Amino acid sequence: MRDETPRVRTLALDVPGWPGHRAGQHADVRLTSDDGAVAQRPYSIASAPEDPRLELTVSLLDDGEVSPWLAREARPGDQLELRGPVGSAFSWHVGDGGPLLLVGGGAGLVPLRAMVRHRIAQGAATETRLVVSARTRDDLLYAAEHGDWIAAGVSLEVTLTRAAPRRRVDAALLSAPSAGARPHVFVCGPTAFAEAAAEHLLDLGHAPERVRVERFGGALKSTNSIGFAKSR
Ligand SMILES: Cc1cc2nc3c(=O)[nH]c(=O)nc-3n(C[C@H](O)[C@H](O)[C@H](O)COP(=O)(O)OP(=O)(O)OC[C@H]3O[C@@H](n4cnc5c(N)ncnc54)[C@H](O)[C@@H]3O)c2cc1C
């Protein structure tokens, strides 16, 4: 159990019989309260398939039902019910090749971290660009690992939305793919973030079938919808 930020915690789980997963997939966590009420939510798997334990990184929503227990109350030795892995469309294996363009907002970095760790564990040289949006530098997840990612050849760009120099992920930051390059693109984060980033990517000329989007929920800021299916 590790605090990533004051509001985000990583849980490391021993899962007997876990069948293995592809980087990017998620698991459904089911909690049963003392009075028998059941709540189930999906959480991306933060660890690479090669890691010894299954890790989930949970961001606290103050008025949430499940995240406060996972991010605040869970203690070592507690047991969880887990179903998965789920969501093979939003997943990557080194054998799928590259280049990789990973775009994460807030906790949306979680499944992208699994992909980066998988690439590193496999010793692959897949061209990888990771664009991360966080509120402030203190909200950046896995900051202690970023040096290792960069040393392994991952190009990491961080943009902060609530600290100078404030900037949201925009088309210029994502920049156009070079001619002939057809990166595998994975976008993940709160719904409004994911929709906006995906729209920029399509405007930049990325092929829709190469852009996979995982939306974590939360209100949409606008009612627009874009023309490709959810990855799940
Ligand atoms: C495929 C998938 C993977 C996910 N992976 C992760 C992960 O790795 N880490 C993580 O922290 N979360 C992740 N989520 C979000 C997670 O499943 C829960 O939705 C989240 O933890 C809130 O659950 P809750 O029970 O605490 O809140 P709820 O009781 O479900 O909701 C409380 C309030 O918050 C709003 N809300 C719900 N979800 C969000 C959100 N994401 N952002 C803002 N407001 C919201 C609701 O509309 C409601 O008003 C993922 C979601 C999906 C679909």
Side-chain angles (χ1 to χ4, degrees), residues 140-156:
L140 265 179
L141 299 186
Y142 316 122
E145 292 179 31
H146 292 181
D148 292 345
W149 299 357
I150 293 165
V154 173
S155 151
L156 173 65

Side-chain angles (χ1 to χ4, degrees), residues 19 27 31 80 115 167 199 203 225:
L31 300 182
L80 297 178
M115 294 179 190
R167 182 174 183 183
E199 214 166 78
D203 288 348
S225 68

Side-chain angles (χ1 to χ4, degrees), residues 41-44 57-59 61 63-67 215-216 218:
R41 302 284 184 275
Y43 289 95
S44 294
T57 300
V58 180
S59 174
L61 281 180
D63 61 343
E65 208 179 330
V66 171
S67 63
R215 303 159 179 84
F216 274 6

Side-chain angles (χ1 to χ4, degrees), residues 56-215:
L56 305 178
T57 300
V58 180
S59 174
L60 172 71
L61 281 180
D62 291 315
D63 61 343
E65 208 179 330
V66 171
S67 63
W69 191 83
L70 293 171
R72 281 276 191 271
E73 289 171 40
R75 295 285 170 262
D78 283 346
Q79 295 208 341
L80 297 178
E81 248 184 282
L82 213 66
R83 191 180 72 90
V86 190
S88 55
F90 194 89
S91 74
W92 179 77
H93 181 273
V94 284
D96 300 339
L100 268 186
L101 173 56
L102 310 176
V103 184
L109 182 53
V110 175
L112 310 182
R113 180 222 193 203
M115 294 179 190
V116 169
R117 288 180 69 85
H118 168 59
R119 171 194 175 283
I120 294 174
Q122 291 291 319
T126 314
E127 185 184 328
T128 306
R129 186 158 169 244
L130 172 59
V131 179
V132 176
S133 174
R135 288 181 173 179
T136 70
R137 207 151 272 286
D138 290 343
D139 295 305
L140 265 179
L141 299 186
Y142 316 122
E145 292 179 31
H146 292 181
D148 292 345
W149 299 357
I150 293 165
V154 173
S155 151
L156 173 65
E157 279 159 87
V158 172
T159 183
L160 304 176
T161 57
R162 296 201 188 168
R166 287 169 183 249
R167 182 174 183 183
R168 292 193 175 277
V169 165
D170 54 29
L173 196 66
L174 296 169
S175 70
S178 45
R182 282 169 46 82
H184 295 277
V185 187
F186 293 91
V187 179
C188 187
T191 299
F193 169 89
E195 300 277 323
E199 214 166 78
H200 290 313
L201 288 158
L202 295 186
D203 288 348
L204 285 167
H206 289 272
E209 68 276 11
R210 303 282 276 196
V211 180
R212 323 276 173 87
V213 184
E214 190 99 283
R215 303 159 179 84

Side-chain angles (χ1 to χ4, degrees), residues 47-58:
S47 46
E50 294 81 1
D51 288 326
R53 299 171 101 189
L54 192 87
E55 293 190 350
L56 305 178
T57 300
V58 180

